[in-house]
Amino acid sequence: MEKKIAVSKPRLSSLQIFNLSAGFFGIQFGFALQNGNASRILQTYGADVEHLSLFWLAAPLTGMIVQPIIGYYSDRTWNRFGRRRPYFLIGAVLTALALILMPNSAAMASLLPPIIIGAGMLMIMDASINVAMEPFRALVGDKLPEEQRSFGFSMQTFLIGAGAIAGSWLPYILSEYLGVSKVAAQGHIPNNVIYSFYVGAAVLVLTILWTVVTTKEYPPEEMERYHGESVEEEHKGIMSIFTDFSKMPLTMKQLGLVQFFSWFALFSMWVFTTPAIAQHIYKVAPADTSSLKFADAGNWVGILFGIYNGVSAIYALLLPSIAKATSKKIAHAFSLTAGGIGLLSVYFISNPQHLIFSMIGIGLAWGSILSMPYAILSSSIPARKMGVYMGIFNFFITMPQIVNGFFGGLIVEKFYDGKAIYAIVMAGVFMLLGAISVLYIRNKKEL
């Protein structure tokens, strides 16, 4: 069949690009609440520090399974609700329910131990976030011409950062400025955390509804005009995901090692920052999860996570210009180097306030991790497979987290004598290795 001449997609205004990614604000609001408080919640329910990474395996395991499947089906979903939007809504509702239930797991102790319920809610929350998140990545590829995609992914990163600031800081704001209690009885979650999760559920649903209402998706015939070929995938069955995996673009393979080092480092940071700072800086005993010092450490970690997300939000808007002046891979390598230095610096800090400087470097890395790999990748993916390949690319995010989940806690217990700070040092080393591996990416197109 003769290939038709493709027509350029219309450029979208900054407001339209904001609207199509607005739901990411709510997704990251909820994700930040999880990142900043899940270890604290699970420790409160009885998890040991060295076992935390095993509980956190819920996130990458569900992501590895869910994202390619959602990508596969969203590529093939064309109805009056759209191609990607139905998945936004389903994911939003399920995530909101998990956000409400997770900090209340102790109230359901008559059914199962709180630690089991809490871990189950963590898994449901991660699966639901993945249902909502994956189609947002594909939507940028669907809607934007190639020359606007770097800005589109940067806008998503800006909204991710903004949502993460709000989600990370909310428990601290509720306790320090609105008088909501930040401590609770042994085995129970403080009210400032519980109320924050309620707010997160509401924000998540409202922002995703904003994207659904304000963003129109292109129908198949219109997409065909823009790509010069049919974008409707043949119904070969879901097992075709494995065929697509084996035929992944070269660029995706080249990015795999970079993603492994980067996300291994991030997983260590998310899992072990709270116990590392509590032990190393606040001098809290490893088994102490109910003292005022532990609460202060947990709340300050929320503030720090908000700071690095704030830095990433601002930096994301600058990244397209930096990448244009240098290249995408140089911009990414620089950012990961800054993140590695930031993580390593935590070991040498004794004043909690000085950790803000560490978060600046981490924020530069996070801003780039959320945008540059997708900007590099999107131009090499066929339009008809945008969803499934964005989902498959998630393998390179989830695999390092799974490896870390199985071995990270064991390393902390056996090699680091239960001192979580060394997991943060290890994260810094891996981030620097990621920066080095970026430089070895080779592609026909200029990166």
Side-chain angles (χ1 to χ4, degrees):
M1 183 182 292
E2 185 178 352
K3 187 173 180 178
K4 300 177 183 178
I5 298 175
V7 177
S8 297
K9 290 180 184 176
R11 291 176 63 89
L12 301 188
S13 68
S14 296
L15 178 60
Q16 289 173 313
I17 295 174
F18 172 88
N19 287 339
L20 72 85
S21 294
F24 246 124
F25 178 91
I27 290 173
Q28 195 62 30
F29 194 113
F31 196 48
L33 285 169
Q34 173 188 302
N35 282 347
N37 296 281
S39 288
R40 176 183 183 179
I41 289 172
L42 293 172
Q43 278 187 277
T44 300
Y45 290 152
D48 297 325
V49 169
E50 57 267 23
H51 295 150
L52 285 176
S53 60
L54 293 174
F55 287 106
W56 274 75
L57 278 173
L61 284 172
T62 54
M64 176 177 282
I65 296 168
V66 170
Q67 286 215 19
I69 294 173
I70 295 300
Y72 169 88
Y73 282 112
S74 72
D75 281 341
R76 292 159 173 76
T77 299
W78 300 89
N79 57 41
R80 62 193 182 94
F81 297 108
R83 188 185 192 187
R84 315 292 182 187
R85 290 183 296 177
Y87 299 93
F88 301 163
L89 286 172
I90 294 169
V93 171
L94 294 176
T95 306
L97 289 174
L99 281 167
I100 292 169
L101 293 175
M102 185 179 179
N104 290 297
S105 298
M108 297 179 278
S110 59
L111 302 175
L112 288 169
I115 186 64
I116 300 299
I117 296 173
M121 289 301 106
L122 180 62
M123 179 171 286
I124 292 171
M125 191 186 309
D126 277 308
S128 305
I129 285 174
N130 278 295
V131 170
M133 185 184 296
E134 193 282 332
F136 270 103
R137 299 289 191 196
L139 186 61
V140 170
D142 290 347
K143 291 285 290 183
L144 296 181
E146 187 172 333
E147 65 270 16
Q148 283 194 300
R149 287 181 184 172
S150 287
F151 179 69
F153 288 117
S154 293
M155 177 64 79
Q156 284 192 347
T157 303
F158 171 77
L159 290 166
I160 286 171
I165 293 170
S168 298
W169 287 5
L170 188 56
Y172 182 88
I173 292 171
L174 289 179
S175 65
E176 301 302 322
Y177 294 100
L178 298 179
V180 180
S181 177
K182 62 183 178 183
V183 294
Q186 184 72 29
H188 289 77
I189 307 303
N191 283 338
N192 69 319
V193 175
I194 293 175
Y195 296 163
S196 295
F197 273 62
Y198 293 165
V199 174
V203 170
L204 176 66
V205 172
L206 289 174
T207 54
I208 287 184
L209 284 174
W210 180 274
T211 290
V212 169
V213 171
T214 60
T215 301
K216 177 187 175 184
E217 295 188 72
Y218 296 132
E221 58 274 10
E222 205 166 345
M223 289 286 284
E224 184 175 342
R225 286 178 56 236
Y226 296 140
H227 294 277
E229 60 184 2
S230 175
V231 294
E232 292 193 78
E233 262 293 86
E234 297 178 21
H235 291 272
K236 298 179 181 178
I238 196 167
M239 298 305 290
S240 64
I241 291 175
F242 295 100
T243 302
D244 291 331
F245 187 94
S246 67
K247 296 179 179 180
M248 71 176 68
L250 175 63
T251 303
M252 188 183 293
K253 296 177 182 178
Q254 293 170 330
L255 283 165
L257 187 61
V258 180
Q259 295 291 83
F260 181 88
F261 288 132
S262 303
W263 285 91
F264 190 100
L266 289 171
F267 191 81
S268 290
M269 182 186 74
W270 290 331
V271 173
F272 294 109
T273 294
T274 295
I277 289 177
Q279 296 171 15
H280 188 65
I281 297 177
Y282 284 81
K283 309 304 180 185
V284 174
D288 181 358
T289 61
S290 59
S291 69
L292 188 59
K293 274 191 173 183
F294 183 80
D296 287 339
N299 286 342
W300 185 237
V301 168
I303 293 296
L304 293 173
F305 278 18
I307 290 170
Y308 89 69
N309 278 287
V311 171
S312 75
I314 297 169
Y315 186 58
L317 299 179
L318 302 175
L319 265 174
S321 298
I322 296 172
K324 186 176 181 180
T326 56
S327 70
K328 292 174 184 175
K329 73 175 186 179
I330 293 298
H332 195 41
F334 166 77
S335 305
L336 294 182
T337 300
I341 293 171
L343 286 164
L344 290 172
S345 69
V346 175
Y347 178 81
F348 302 98
I349 291 173
S350 58
N351 185 333
Q353 302 293 326
H354 295 167
L355 290 169
I356 292 173
F357 298 106
S358 303
M359 295 301 113
I360 293 173
I362 294 169
L364 299 183
W366 182 232
S368 189
I369 287 168
L370 291 174
S371 56
M372 280 298 104
Y374 298 98
I376 293 170
L377 181 66
S378 62
S379 61
S380 67
I381 299 176
R384 67 184 184 277
K385 295 180 180 288
M386 186 66 71
V388 71
Y389 270 127
M390 284 294 182
I392 289 173
F393 190 54
N394 194 56
F395 273 75
F396 296 114
I397 294 173
T398 56
M399 185 55 68
Q401 296 181 68
I402 291 170
V403 172
N404 194 330
F406 277 116
F407 297 107
L410 188 65
I411 291 171
V412 170
E413 180 184 9
K414 301 297 184 183
F415 295 95
Y416 302 154
D417 195 28
K419 296 176 181 177
I421 186 61
Y422 293 109
I424 305 301
V425 172
M426 180 174 65
V429 172
F430 269 71
M431 194 72 81
L432 293 176
L433 291 173
I436 294 170
S437 62
V438 173
L439 301 177
Y440 289 91
I441 294 176
R442 294 292 180 266
N443 196 41
K444 292 180 181 180
K445 292 188 177 182
E446 178 60 39
L447 298 177

